Amino acid sequence: MLIKDLKALFHKELDDIYGPDEVFTFFFMLTEHYCNISRLDVALNTNLSVTTEEKIQIFKALESLEQQQPIQYILGETEFFGMPFKVNPNTLIPRPETEELVQLVLDSYDNKEQGHNASVLDIGTGSGCIAISLAKNLAEATIFGLDVSAKAIKTATQNALLNKVNVDFIEASILEDTAWKNIFKDLKFDTIVSNPPYVRQLEKQAMTSNVLDNEPHLALFVSDDNPLIFYKAITKFAAQYLKTNGELFFEINEYLGKEMIALLIDNGFKNVQLKQDFFGKDRMISGVKQ
């Protein structure tokens, strides 16, 4: 089957769902992944064809896209901070906003005397994208990643191997403070970072179906009556397990910036800073332990 005919079929079946521009992107992601044919090759040679096996794989992907499954889950991988990451329905798909959080942490080390010889904990590590990106860029640091999901830990471990970094992954719930004393009794951290669940139930209606129907709700949603449940637990933990002048970093719900400022200040953090993402939304907050 010719690539140009396959491309026309994609637009016919998917344009009404995603729009032609996104379908165009999906198609070339799939042909590059399954056929090792670049977008430039397709543009230069309209008579390129795919094998029967490649056609079967692409048709399966087309069916999945018609069911509005995320392209990242279909491919089983995505890119984050310039690195490849395996993803599946047990982990969230890393977002560009979280890359900004990673960069914020890295920027904080530019002026620190200890340089990269730091101890860092990523809470709610999921695919491991934050922990692994930090490990890749803080070569001498000791990096830990914690998650309640054993399946997420398995994926994160695979991603650490894929990106050739060392991260100590720990399966535990940050909401169970009795576990802290056993797991972290001899540890103190220079940095704690987290992108925990923060989408309130009332915000579900604003989300697309490909997210709601596919990504793990455990990693996305919190109740309307206690939306800061994870932030409260992590801040309490950080107040105990950060070194003096250690820093706490969060990705946050854009609507709860004021509440997050109050939470950190009330727990004894200084130099609390609320930062916006590239969309101008309140998305990150940091504080320093006194």
Side-chain angles (χ1 to χ4, degrees), residues 199-206 222 224:
V199 181
R200 294 172 293 181
Q201 297 291 327
L202 62 87
E203 293 161 356
K204 273 188 176 182
Q205 61 185 5
V222 289
D224 294 337

Side-chain angles (χ1 to χ4, degrees), residues 100 109 144 233 252:
E100 294 188 78
Y109 277 92
F144 298 85
I252 68 169

Side-chain angles (χ1 to χ4, degrees), residues 194-215:
S194 183
N195 176 22
Y198 61 66
V199 181
R200 294 172 293 181
Q201 297 291 327
L202 62 87
E203 293 161 356
K204 273 188 176 182
Q205 61 185 5
M207 301 182 74
T208 58
S209 60
N210 67 325
V211 173
L212 285 174
D213 296 341
N214 294 280
E215 297 197 53

Side-chain angles (χ1 to χ4, degrees), residues 96-101 103-104 250-258 261 272-286:
E97 297 93 323
T98 307
E99 292 182 312
E100 294 188 78
L101 178 65
Q103 190 60 58
L104 186 64
F250 283 122
E251 182 175 323
I252 68 169
N253 186 315
E254 64 184 279
Y255 303 110
L256 300 175
K258 291 181 180 179
I261 291 173
V272 175
Q273 297 183 53
L274 181 66
K275 294 184 177 292
Q276 290 72 45
D277 62 21
F278 47 64
F279 296 114
K281 298 178 179 179
D282 291 340
R283 188 62 67 195
M284 295 159 285
I285 194 168
S286 62

Side-chain angles (χ1 to χ4, degrees), residues 231-289:
Y231 294 96
K232 291 174 182 177
I234 294 167
T235 302
K236 178 182 176 182
F237 174 90
Q240 182 176 352
Y241 288 95
L242 274 174
K243 298 175 184 177
T244 301
N245 292 321
E247 291 187 81
L248 174 62
F249 295 87
F250 283 122
E251 182 175 323
I252 68 169
N253 186 315
E254 64 184 279
Y255 303 110
L256 300 175
K258 291 181 180 179
E259 290 84 350
M260 286 299 305
I261 291 173
L263 176 64
L264 266 63
I265 291 175
D266 290 347
N267 280 272
F269 284 83
K270 61 183 180 180
N271 300 339
V272 175
Q273 297 183 53
L274 181 66
K275 294 184 177 292
Q276 290 72 45
D277 62 21
F278 47 64
F279 296 114
K281 298 178 179 179
D282 291 340
R283 188 62 67 195
M284 295 159 285
I285 194 168
S286 62
V288 178
K289 180 184 175 182

